[in-house]
């Protein structure tokens, strides 16, 4: 990495928790200046606009989340273990990977009507997550871990939607009880379809 690339990455990494907590609209360049200890001219030397920086931050947050999940999944052997890990990973609402919580939930709910570029990035993250779950489920069926009549595509959508909804409920209520119930329901359903 060149010095300019390292500085650009530093700005993204330092401002990611701010954007993920306050949102794109709620984050001012003065907030970024505060966490990076850089002057406005220095920031604009690396990013032409707040829009360019916010898109880079969303990309960084989504990749950080994806890499963290993939790293944990790679340590699991069976499809059931992988699914349980995925559930547990999202259920840790009090210990998010990135300060502020799930970037798909945060940026998606803000950008759905206001920012097409970020909406597109979040939508890709959602589709990638559902494809990952479908792939794990398909491997489980192919390896005779799961019953062959289980509608795995439907379950992948259901599982992802329940986890994201559970995170929203936990954040709004400041209570993780709903997420614990959702985790148990999902694990019970997986176990019921395990051979």
């Amino acid at each position: 990495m060149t010095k300019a690339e390292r500085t650009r990455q530093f700005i993204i990494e330092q401002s990611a928790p701010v954007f993920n907590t306050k949102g794109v609209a709620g984050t001012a360049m003065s907030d970024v200046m505060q966490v990076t200890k850089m002057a406005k001219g220095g920031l604009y030397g690396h990013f032409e606009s707040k829009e360019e920086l916010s898109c880079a931050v969303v990309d960084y947050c989504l990749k950080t989340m994806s890499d963290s999940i993939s790293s944990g999944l790679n340590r699991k052997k069976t499809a059931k273990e992988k699914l349980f890990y995925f559930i547990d990973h999202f259920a840790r609402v009090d210990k998010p990977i990135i300060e502020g919580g799930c970037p798909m939930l945060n940026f998606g709910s803000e950008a759905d009507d206001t920012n097409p570029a970020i909406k597109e990035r979040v939508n890709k993250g959602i589709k990638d997550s559902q494809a990952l779950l479908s792939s794990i489920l398909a491997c489980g069926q192919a390896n005779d871990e799961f019953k062959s009549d289980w509608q795995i595509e439907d379950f992948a959508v259901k599982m992802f939607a329940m986890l994201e909804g559970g995170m929203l409920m936990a954040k709004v209520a400041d209570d993780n009880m709903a997420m614990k119930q959702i985790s148990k329901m999902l694990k019970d359903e997986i176990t019921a379809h395990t051979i």
Side-chain angles (χ1 to χ4, degrees):
M1 274 184 147
T2 66
K3 183 179 179 187
E5 289 169 335
R6 285 194 304 273
T7 302
R8 183 178 166 89
Q9 188 62 28
F10 170 79
I11 294 167
I12 293 168
E13 290 175 6
Q14 294 301 305
S15 59
V18 179
F19 275 95
N20 196 40
T21 302
K22 293 178 123 184
V24 174
T27 300
M29 288 306 276
S30 58
D31 295 321
V32 177
M33 290 166 57
Q34 184 177 4
V35 296
T36 61
K37 309 290 188 244
M38 292 178 68
K40 192 179 245 185
L43 295 175
Y44 283 112
H46 295 281
F47 296 94
E48 289 182 14
S49 64
K50 179 181 153 186
E51 175 71 16
E52 182 185 354
L53 174 57
S54 64
C55 286
V57 164
V58 171
D59 290 340
Y60 168 78
C61 289
L62 294 174
K63 183 176 182 335
T64 300
M65 188 174 82
S66 175
D67 289 350
S68 174
I69 291 168
S70 293
S71 173
L73 290 175
N74 290 336
R75 293 191 301 270
K76 303 301 178 189
K77 292 187 169 60
T78 68
K80 182 178 179 182
E81 288 173 351
K82 289 177 189 284
L83 293 173
F84 276 33
Y85 172 82
F86 194 95
I87 293 166
D88 291 340
H89 195 276
F90 275 83
R92 293 175 25 205
V93 178
D94 56 332
K95 296 178 184 174
I97 299 163
I98 300 164
E99 186 180 331
C102 176
M104 280 190 276
L105 178 64
N106 293 340
F107 294 121
S109 59
E110 178 183 17
D112 64 339
D113 293 320
T114 61
N115 193 317
I118 291 177
K119 179 180 178 179
E120 182 179 321
R121 285 167 164 80
V122 173
N123 189 42
K124 182 182 182 312
I126 291 169
K127 288 181 178 179
D128 288 349
S129 296
Q130 290 174 346
L132 173 64
L133 292 173
S134 292
S135 168
I136 294 168
L137 288 156
C139 285
Q141 276 188 332
N143 294 334
D144 293 326
E145 278 185 67
F146 300 134
K147 296 174 182 175
S148 60
D149 63 346
W150 193 15
Q151 300 300 310
I152 57 174
E153 297 293 328
D154 292 345
F155 183 73
V157 172
K158 175 180 171 179
M159 180 172 160
F160 184 79
M162 287 178 70
L163 290 171
E164 287 289 330
M167 281 189 291
L168 176 63
M169 293 167 71
K171 281 184 74 171
V172 171
D174 285 326
D175 183 351
N176 207 23
M177 184 54 67
M179 183 55 98
K180 288 177 182 175
Q181 292 171 307
I182 288 167
S183 296
K184 183 182 182 316
M185 285 185 278
L186 289 170
K187 287 180 179 182
D188 286 351
E189 186 169 349
I190 291 165
T191 300
H193 287 90
T194 302
I195 296 173

